[in-house]
Amino acid sequence: MAERLALFATTARGTEDLLAEELKELGARRIRQDRGGVRFMASLDEALKVCLWSRIAMRVLYPLGEFEARGAEGLYEAVASVPWEEHLTPETTFAVEATLKDSEHSHTGFVALKVKDAVVDRMRDKRGARPDVDPRNPDVRVVAHLVRERLSLSLDLCGEPLHRRGYRVRPTPAPLKETLAAALLRAAGYTGEEGLVDPMCGSGTILIEGGLIARRRAPGINRDFAVEKWPHLGARARELLDDLRADARRNERKVTVPLLGFDKDPEALEAARRNVKAAKLAEEIHLEEGDATKLPPLPESGGLILTNPPYGDRLGSGGQKGMKTFYFKLGDSLRSLPGWRVWVLSGNPAFESAFHARPRSRRDLWNGPIACTLLGYSAVPVRGGEERSEAPLGVPEQTQDVASMRPEDEGEEQG
């Protein structure tokens, strides 16, 4: 591989600019946004820093090339043209993950099988033996994305997607992905220097991600990465990651701001407690049973309220009318808290009017397959004081080394 790698980090649609900002902070260069991800250049140590520290990226991919792949035979020939012997050995295990969009092929399993066949046949021809497939814990993960007749092939530096931080030991229905929660916090300008409240905390994802930010803890500190097992880069990657992990642990800090979560569902609250404990943030995050429409007084220091209210399936009877009533009461509750700015991820078109407040800013994004809007509301001024300032939510002005998003074929989306 070249000294500086051309890489592609995937993210939820609508958060590409947030990831671009983060990558720049982590030392990436020649940053360019695409739909569903960001392309950038990085040295090996910079790429590993991204794997360890990125809170928003879902995957960090090393692209091998793009090819025309017509029919099953064209697919096979395209894959066989890649010099796999530069990335694998006969002793290396690998797995293929395929995604399709508008393709003549209807099954990802068929595409993955053709890719696998081409890889092992090329390795047998070049090295005299074929590597084994290990779908669960491969040394090298090959990512194939086929859009119509255009095939993209990449190697995944991370292995397991980066949203799998390791703390979600007990999920709840339709949980928010960790990476999307972190993106919401960045959009709201949260840096860990102010209090954070989630009045409908569910399994606790927003609070845990906020706690990691306040603690200055690397989100990937407790996991391994696939690149550590790559034949030609593994030894160097392990050495660099050992140093990066040690440095990350030395620079953690104590949390001095309140991190509070409420939920009226006892099962959700128990899930949150177990996840918070698994994240080793039990001393930092305080959880209690409570109704978001009847919150107790919050600390006068103020801060950020960020929440992801139900889109409709958890409200029981009443239908859309019941949801509007709930959103109306929620607005009365949250906007009556002096010094606390309110940000809401809404997946229901009825939310904004029912909340009966004009948002200061908005962002359209995707929570998995659901189109959502992140709405930011100004804080109610503290009596005798000034309204707290907040970072604007709109798409930030592009820096000189971040190009505008290009309307290309959709890449892998893991929102």
Side-chain angles (χ1 to χ4, degrees):
M1 292 185 186
E3 183 176 352
R4 189 165 291 277
L5 310 176
L7 303 173
F8 180 70
T10 68
T11 190
R13 278 190 291 162
T15 67
E16 294 91 345
D17 62 299
L18 300 172
L19 176 57
E21 288 179 344
E22 182 185 63
L23 290 172
K24 183 179 179 182
E25 292 171 4
L26 293 172
R29 304 180 187 181
R30 295 177 60 184
I31 299 165
R32 188 178 78 250
Q33 297 175 44
D34 280 337
R35 189 181 184 189
V38 178
R39 300 186 185 278
F40 65 101
M41 300 290 291
S43 62
L44 179 59
D45 58 337
E46 290 165 346
L48 295 173
K49 188 176 181 181
V50 169
C51 293
L52 183 67
W53 276 101
S54 178
R55 302 183 190 278
I56 300 174
M58 286 291 299
R59 294 179 182 270
V60 181
L61 303 177
Y62 174 61
L64 300 177
E66 296 188 0
F67 313 86
E68 288 294 329
R70 294 181 179 147
E73 189 61 29
L75 176 63
Y76 177 93
E77 291 177 356
V79 179
S81 69
V82 175
W84 294 103
E85 63 276 8
E86 296 179 5
H87 310 289
L88 304 171
T89 70
E91 293 75 31
T92 305
T93 61
F94 79 104
V96 179
E97 183 174 316
T99 57
L100 308 177
K101 182 182 178 184
D102 302 329
S103 171
E104 61 186 307
H105 306 292
S106 57
H107 298 289
T108 57
F110 172 79
V111 172
L113 180 62
K114 296 301 289 185
V115 172
K116 183 269 294 181
D117 288 344
V119 172
V120 298
D121 288 350
R122 165 111 187 186
M123 287 295 295
R124 188 182 290 112
D125 290 342
K126 298 294 183 179
R127 293 294 181 89
R130 53 156 288 176
D132 290 331
V133 174
D134 182 351
R136 295 192 176 185
N137 189 30
D139 298 328
V140 177
R141 190 180 299 270
V142 179
V143 178
H145 184 58
L146 187 60
V147 180
R148 292 180 288 277
E149 295 177 345
R150 193 70 181 171
L151 174 68
S152 300
L153 292 171
S154 305
L155 302 182
D156 189 339
L157 275 74
C158 303
E160 289 290 323
L162 289 176
H163 79 271
R164 296 178 185 171
R165 316 278 207 228
Y167 63 71
R168 183 170 283 168
V169 295
R170 186 166 173 182
T172 54
L176 195 67
K177 272 191 172 66
E178 296 88 328
T179 44
L180 182 57
L184 302 182
L185 286 160
R186 173 173 276 266
Y190 187 74
T191 63
E193 304 293 337
E194 60 181 334
L196 174 65
V197 173
D198 185 349
M200 290 167 283
C201 67
S203 60
T205 307
I206 289 175
L207 285 169
I208 293 172
E209 291 299 314
L212 295 177
I213 292 171
R215 194 81 168 83
R216 288 185 182 167
R217 180 179 296 161
I221 194 70
N222 294 316
R223 60 164 288 168
D224 297 326
F225 300 99
V227 67
E228 296 180 74
K229 298 188 288 185
W230 287 12
H232 306 298
L233 284 180
R236 180 60 178 155
R238 289 191 296 273
E239 180 182 345
L240 290 170
L241 278 166
D242 285 345
D243 291 340
L244 288 170
R245 291 182 180 115
D247 186 61
R249 291 189 175 97
R250 281 193 299 268
N251 287 289
E252 288 192 17
R253 64 176 180 178
K254 291 184 178 181
V255 176
T256 59
V257 295
L259 305 174
L260 309 174
F262 304 88
D263 205 292
K264 66 179 182 179
D265 182 349
E267 292 188 7
L269 209 58
E270 177 59 25
R273 288 194 177 100
R274 291 185 60 179
N275 294 337
V276 165
K277 183 178 179 180
K280 298 181 180 180
L281 291 171
E283 295 183 3
E284 290 82 359
I285 296 175
H286 177 74
L287 302 169
E288 64 179 76
E289 191 169 338
D291 187 336
T293 65
K294 302 173 184 177
L295 285 179
L298 298 180
E300 294 183 358
S301 57
L304 171 66
I305 295 173
L306 174 61
T307 195
N308 177 32
Y311 305 160
D313 54 348
R314 293 173 58 193
L315 290 175
S317 60
Q320 191 75 338
K321 183 177 180 181
M323 283 189 284
K324 289 181 179 180
T325 300
F326 170 73
Y327 294 149
F328 184 88
K329 292 180 179 179
L330 183 66
D332 276 350
S333 173
L334 300 187
R335 290 183 297 101
S336 65
L337 301 167
W340 290 87
R341 53 201 176 93
V342 177
W343 289 62
V344 180
L345 179 64
S346 168
N348 187 321
F351 175 86
E352 188 172 345
S353 60
F355 197 70
H356 63 100
R358 184 186 296 274
R360 177 171 174 170
S361 48
R362 67 175 64 241
R363 172 185 294 268
D364 295 327
L365 48 76
W366 290 79
N367 180 6
I370 303 172
C372 296
T373 305
L374 180 61
L375 302 165
Y377 300 88
S378 299
V380 176
V382 179
R383 184 175 298 177
E386 298 270 337
E387 177 184 323
R388 293 179 62 87
S389 63
E390 69 174 291
L393 177 64
V395 176
E397 182 179 350
Q398 295 292 341
T399 52
Q400 291 183 355
D401 61 340
V402 180
S404 300
M405 188 183 306
R406 295 183 290 136
E408 294 188 342
D409 293 327
E410 180 181 4
E412 179 190 15
E413 178 197 342
Q414 297 282 344

